Amino acid sequence: MTALDRQFVRLRFAALAIPFGLLLWLPSASVPVTIVLAGLMAAYNGVAALAIQKRPIPRFARPMAVLLLVLDHLVVSGWILLFATPSSSLPYLLFALVAAEAVFRFDLWGGIGTSLFFTSGIILFQTSDLGLAISVRDSILRAIPTVAVITGLGAAVRAMNREIGGTRRRLDQTEQLRKVLGELVGQLDVPRMLNTVIHCGMELLQMDSGAVVLLDEDRGVFTMRAAVDLPEAVDGTAVSAADGVVGRVVRERRLVMLTEPPLFDLAPLNRVRYARVVGTPVVLEGKVFGVLHLQTFDDQRRLTRWEEEALEVLAQQLAVALRNVHLFEETEKRARRLELLNQSIDQMNQKLFEPELLDIIATALTGNLGFAAAQVWLLEPSDGALWRRASHHITKNSPPAPGRVERGMSEIGQVAELRVPIVTNDPANHRQVGLNPWMTAEGIQAFAGFPMVVGDQLLGVLAVYHRRPLDRNTIELLTLFAQHAATAIQEAHLFHLATEQTARLGAVNSELQRANQHKAEFLANMSHELRTPLNSILGFSQLLLEGDGGVLTRDQRQDVDIIAQNGQHLLALINDLLDISKLEAGKAQLHRGEVDVEPLISECVESVSSLAKTKKLELSSSVSPEVGRVFADGPKLKQVLLNLLGNAIKFTESGSVRVTAERQGAELLISVRDTGIGVPAEDAERIFESFQQGNSGISGKYQGTGLGLAISQRLVEMHGGRIWVKSTPGHGSTFTFTIPQRALPEAIDLTSAA
């Protein structure tokens, strides 16, 4: 129940005090009648109050409201008869109470009805000779201002109610429009989107049905994409933009309301006999992409300015939503094409045999990317002409292309001659492209030819034919594909040249490999034969040192200790021979895994710390925090570090040896710096060869096989790294090597390239 009805009930109870107050203030014709009238008002007012409490209705029904108002008029009329005097304004004051309720409940009609009731009542009282000392003239003169005021008040209330009702309706419509616009944001389901817009438009404008017509870009015609409450099944029907609402909106590019036939561009809709139709354009990127039209059977329906603006806003938001869907679909299509492009490039990279490679290039364009036909033409250096080496099509008939084309002839020869792409979506009117009967029969709408160039060398031409116009993204994709195809073809050429060169060098290499294999087998066998007696010598010397053969004298222990030390030295030399023989024979393998760099360096430094301490050298290490882990063979990486640390300590008489590790780009960089004798510039390369030492080693002061650096270099290169030395004679050396952080390259992302 509204607050106004509650107040009216309370006011009726409060009005019961009026007659009793009048009894004290004015003489009354009959006190009992006054009390009876007050009781009557209390009775029907109590019934209304009980009805309110028993059933919480939203508002009094019109019959009950009229009944209460009539009863109020009768009671107040009785009070007027009881308390009126010739000069008193009391009738008008009492009547104003009832008139107020009538005006606020029934606005203009309440004011008119109450005024007539009052006027006729006064005249009736006068003509019935009820004893009122008021002439008819005086009654009319007093009634006219009252009637005018009450009627004017009713008119004002009526206008105010209309304004409030219109404002409330616009607020409701605005809220509904806001909700619909919110639903369209992020919506990707086009049918659901269109139906939501149509329903919203029908509710906002109070229309009987609606539809959305959108442009089919592939066919170039408008199509009925969604319809609500249309009597005829017209979904999916092509709509010719003629003299109906669609044609008028497309031509005028504005909101149009039609009242005269033809209202529609479809005959089935014209047969329905709609009275009015309103349509507004859906503009996308400056082009009328569709039409939203609503229709009604009401021939008196007019649109307010607000309703027209609301419909235009709805169409604009639909255009934005359709644009978002279009962009999303284009993004998905582009991503899919890039994925297919990557797959095609991977397939090309796996084929080094030219005929298979060329077939993959042509098939990828028609199969993966959906072009109607694709051709690969290669330039023949012997005659300077282009020869068709691969072709694939998904059309009914194959393209009638010749097998050979001279440069400068036809669209293929023009691409080769100019070395620039030729792309057209109108082959019939392009001066460099000829529209042949095959293109007309197969519905070819676009041609694109791209020169395949590597450096300054022209390899050939890649040509494609398509049934739809080529957009900018597709052209960029084809350009990238042609570049990769040219690179793949060039690599295939180089592969064949390398294969021929390899075949010619095969005989020489096989002889060298056999000789190297014999050397490696000899070293391996000799090393094995030497290790057997050497292990016995080391074993027995260890037993003697442990007192297994009795207690040794001091001189005897010293001699046996010398035997053990030289045996260990000899064992290290033999192990180096075994390592270099395995490396040269190709039998050494890497077992890669994640290796923590800092613990590995600490372990190596700890292993040689006793040697550095013996020579009173300062041994230290520094590992950068971002180094982390490296993908490598841990034991072999440790062997490289121990070789470098051992050499640094051996060739350093005083000073320090320091190990550093840091990350440089995608590589791990480890350096061993010493303050030793250094390496002459002429020996910087030679010391990494097998059985080679610098001049210091040759002099005999520092003993060794000259295999440590050679082994280290082989192990580093097996990891894909490199090793080098920077040295100043007399001031020390720095040996540095790199290990790739990852053994395998990351996948190439072609998105940015596209």
Side-chain angles (χ1 to χ4, degrees):
M1 186 173 63
T2 63
L4 183 62
D5 284 334
R6 290 183 181 274
Q7 295 299 328
F8 283 154
V9 171
R10 293 171 183 170
L11 287 174
R12 287 190 183 91
F13 278 114
L16 296 177
I18 295 176
F20 297 103
L22 293 175
L23 288 175
L24 299 177
W25 181 37
L26 297 173
S28 173
S30 175
V31 174
V33 175
T34 302
I35 297 175
V36 169
L37 291 175
L40 177 63
M41 184 174 185
Y44 70 75
N45 194 41
V47 172
L50 292 176
I52 292 173
Q53 294 178 358
K54 184 177 181 181
R55 185 182 177 188
I57 55 177
R59 188 171 177 83
F60 280 145
R62 182 173 293 272
M64 185 173 183
V66 172
L67 176 61
L68 291 175
L69 191 60
V70 170
L71 292 175
D72 287 343
H73 277 76
L74 294 176
V75 171
V76 170
S77 298
W79 288 346
I80 291 173
L81 292 175
L82 292 173
F83 296 101
T85 60
S87 61
S88 173
S89 299
L90 178 63
Y92 307 98
L93 294 177
L94 292 176
F95 182 72
L97 296 176
V98 183
E101 179 181 357
V103 167
F104 281 102
R105 180 174 292 280
F106 300 104
D107 52 60
L108 178 63
W109 294 110
I112 294 174
T114 303
S115 300
L116 294 177
F117 180 86
F118 176 72
T119 304
S120 61
I122 293 297
I123 295 174
L124 181 63
F125 296 157
Q126 180 65 32
T127 57
S128 300
D129 195 19
L130 296 180
L132 288 177
I134 303 176
S135 66
V136 174
R137 177 176 175 276
D138 291 338
S139 299
I140 293 175
L141 290 177
R142 292 190 181 187
I144 288 176
T146 304
V147 171
V149 171
I150 295 176
T151 305
L153 181 60
V157 170
R158 180 178 186 181
M160 182 178 65
N161 287 341
R162 284 184 177 179
E163 183 66 24
I164 293 174
T167 303
R168 182 180 293 110
R169 181 171 178 270
R170 285 194 295 272
L171 289 175
D172 293 340
Q173 290 173 328
T174 303
E175 178 64 18
Q176 181 183 7
L177 183 61
R178 185 191 65 80
K179 290 181 179 179
V180 171
L181 299 184
E183 291 180 8
L184 294 180
V185 175
Q187 179 65 255
L188 298 177
D189 186 350
V190 175
R192 180 179 178 183
M193 177 195 309
L194 299 180
N195 279 278
T196 300
V197 169
I198 295 172
H199 280 290
C200 177
M202 291 170 58
E203 293 179 8
L204 288 177
L205 274 61
Q206 300 298 308
M207 293 291 185
D208 297 313
S209 61
V212 173
V213 176
L214 296 181
L215 178 63
D216 187 339
E217 294 182 295
D218 293 336
R219 297 188 296 167
V221 298
F222 286 92
T223 306
M224 185 75 70
R225 293 291 301 274
V228 176
D229 293 340
L230 284 180
E232 298 287 341
V234 292
D235 283 0
T237 305
V239 179
S240 61
D243 297 327
V245 63
V246 175
R248 288 281 300 276
V249 170
V250 171
R251 288 192 296 272
E252 299 181 19
R253 300 173 63 89
R254 64 178 181 85
L255 186 143
V256 172
M257 174 175 279
L258 301 181
T259 59
E260 299 294 333
L263 300 181
F264 303 97
D265 303 84
L266 292 175
L269 294 182
N270 285 321
R271 290 195 294 267
V272 181
R273 302 297 182 183
Y274 283 106
R276 294 176 182 271
V277 60
V278 58
T280 187
V282 179
V283 181
L284 188 61
E285 297 179 353
K287 180 180 180 181
V288 178
F289 189 76
V291 175
L292 167 63
H293 64 82
L294 306 169
Q295 43 276 343
T296 179
F297 294 102
D298 183 4
D299 58 356
Q300 301 299 319
R301 184 69 174 94
R302 300 287 191 276
L303 294 186
T304 65
R305 181 58 185 165
W306 184 93
E307 290 174 330
E308 291 180 356
E309 292 176 352
L311 186 60
E312 290 174 350
V313 169
L314 191 61
Q316 292 171 4
Q317 190 63 29
L318 175 60
V320 172
L322 290 174
R323 181 176 180 273
N324 292 338
V325 172
H326 180 71
L327 292 176
F328 178 79
E329 291 176 348
E330 285 295 322
T331 302
E332 278 198 331
K333 185 189 297 183
R334 182 178 177 85
R336 177 59 181 164
R337 284 185 172 181
L338 287 175
E339 181 183 355
L340 295 174
L341 176 63
N342 288 335
Q343 293 177 2
S344 301
I345 292 174
D346 289 340
Q347 293 174 358
M348 287 190 288
N349 293 336
Q350 294 171 6
K351 295 294 182 182
L352 293 177
F353 186 58
E354 187 173 285
E356 294 182 1
L357 172 63
L358 300 180
D359 286 338
I360 287 176
I361 293 174
T363 305
L365 289 170
T366 56
N368 292 347
L369 301 180
F371 293 99
Q375 299 170 349
V376 180
W377 300 76
L378 295 185
L379 182 66
E380 184 62 40
S382 60
D383 60 359
L386 294 163
W387 290 79
R388 181 162 50 88
R389 300 302 186 187
S391 177
H392 195 265
H393 63 90
I394 58 175
T395 56
K396 183 178 180 181
N397 299 310
S398 60
R404 180 180 180 276
V405 172
E406 294 287 345
R407 292 181 61 170
M409 303 300 294
S410 77
E411 61 269 14
I412 305 299
Q414 288 286 334
V415 173
E417 184 68 20
L418 300 175
R419 290 198 176 194
V420 294
I422 295 178
V423 181
T424 177
N425 289 326
D426 187 12
N429 298 316
H430 197 280
R431 62 185 181 87
Q432 293 172 320
V433 180
L435 183 65
N436 55 54
W438 170 81
M439 297 172 67
T440 304
E442 297 294 343
I444 301 299
Q445 298 185 22
F447 165 81
F450 298 88
M452 294 187 292
V453 180
V454 177
D456 294 331
Q457 182 183 2
L458 175 66
L459 301 181
V461 173
L462 179 67
V464 296
Y465 300 86
H466 202 30
R467 289 193 175 106
R468 289 180 295 177
L470 299 174
D471 55 19
R472 181 177 58 85
N473 292 334
T474 304
I475 295 172
E476 292 177 356
L477 186 73
L478 285 171
T479 303
L480 183 62
F481 186 88
Q483 294 172 356
H484 283 283
T487 303
I489 293 173
Q490 180 70 0
E491 290 177 352
H493 286 322
L494 296 176
F495 173 75
H496 291 306
L497 293 176
T499 302
E500 293 176 359
Q501 186 69 18
T502 302
R504 288 194 296 267
L505 297 175
V508 177
N509 287 339
S510 61
E511 293 297 329
L512 293 175
Q513 289 175 0
R514 280 196 295 271
N516 190 50
Q517 184 70 22
H518 291 323
K519 182 191 74 171
E521 290 177 357
F522 171 76
L523 290 175
N525 292 333
M526 287 301 298
S527 300
H528 180 73
E529 294 298 329
L530 290 173
R531 289 180 68 177
T532 301
L534 182 58
N535 285 330
S536 298
I537 294 173
L538 291 174
F540 282 112
S541 63
Q542 186 65 30
L543 290 175
L544 290 174
L545 290 173
E546 293 176 356
D548 211 27
V551 179
L552 301 177
T553 64
R554 180 178 181 182
D555 292 338
Q556 290 173 335
R557 175 174 288 277
Q558 186 175 1
D559 293 338
V560 173
D561 190 43
I562 292 173
I563 293 172
Q565 290 179 5
N566 284 281
Q568 291 291 342
H569 179 65
L570 182 57
L571 181 60
L573 297 179
I574 293 172
N575 287 335
D576 287 345
L577 287 173
L578 281 173
D579 288 340
I580 198 66
S581 64
K582 288 181 180 180
L583 290 170
E584 292 182 348
K587 296 182 179 180
Q589 295 181 349
L590 294 180
H591 301 283
R592 289 186 175 92
E594 297 289 342
V595 179
D596 285 326
V597 177
E598 186 172 5
L600 179 67
I601 292 178
S602 300
E603 183 180 349
C604 293
V605 170
E606 183 67 24
S607 298
V608 299
S609 60
S610 60
L611 297 177
K613 187 175 182 181
T614 301
K615 300 185 71 173
K616 298 181 180 180
L617 300 176
E618 181 183 350
L619 181 62
S620 61
S621 63
S622 175
V623 180
S624 180
E626 68 270 10
V627 168
R629 297 182 177 183
V630 68
F631 193 71
D633 188 324
K636 289 183 173 57
L637 186 59
K638 180 178 179 182
Q639 184 178 356
V640 174
L641 275 171
L642 290 176
N643 282 341
L644 296 180
L645 286 170
N647 282 349
I649 294 173
K650 180 168 67 172
F651 293 103
T652 303
E653 297 300 330
S654 62
S656 64
V657 175
R658 182 173 179 79
V659 185
T660 60
E662 60 182 346
R663 182 173 181 177
Q664 192 174 69
E667 293 182 326
L668 169 67
L669 188 142
I670 299 178
S671 299
V672 178
R673 183 189 303 272
D674 63 61
T675 58
I677 61 175
V679 179
E682 62 270 15
D683 293 337
E685 298 292 336
R686 188 171 58 83
I687 59 176
F688 290 102
E689 298 176 4
S690 300
F691 306 103
Q692 296 293 327
Q693 288 185 312
N695 292 331
S696 59
I698 297 174
S699 65
K701 182 178 180 181
Y702 300 99
Q703 299 297 321
T705 60
L707 294 175
L709 290 178
I711 293 172
S712 298
Q713 186 182 42
R714 299 288 182 89
L715 293 177
V716 169
E717 290 177 349
M718 287 177 66
H719 282 84
R722 58 192 181 95
I723 187 170
W724 69 93
V725 62
K726 292 183 180 180
S727 178
T728 302
H731 292 83
S733 305
T734 301
F735 285 84
T736 305
F737 68 94
T738 62
I739 299 293
Q741 287 286 99
R742 299 293 303 179
L744 299 176
E746 299 292 343
I748 299 175
D749 183 9
L750 295 176
T751 303
S752 59

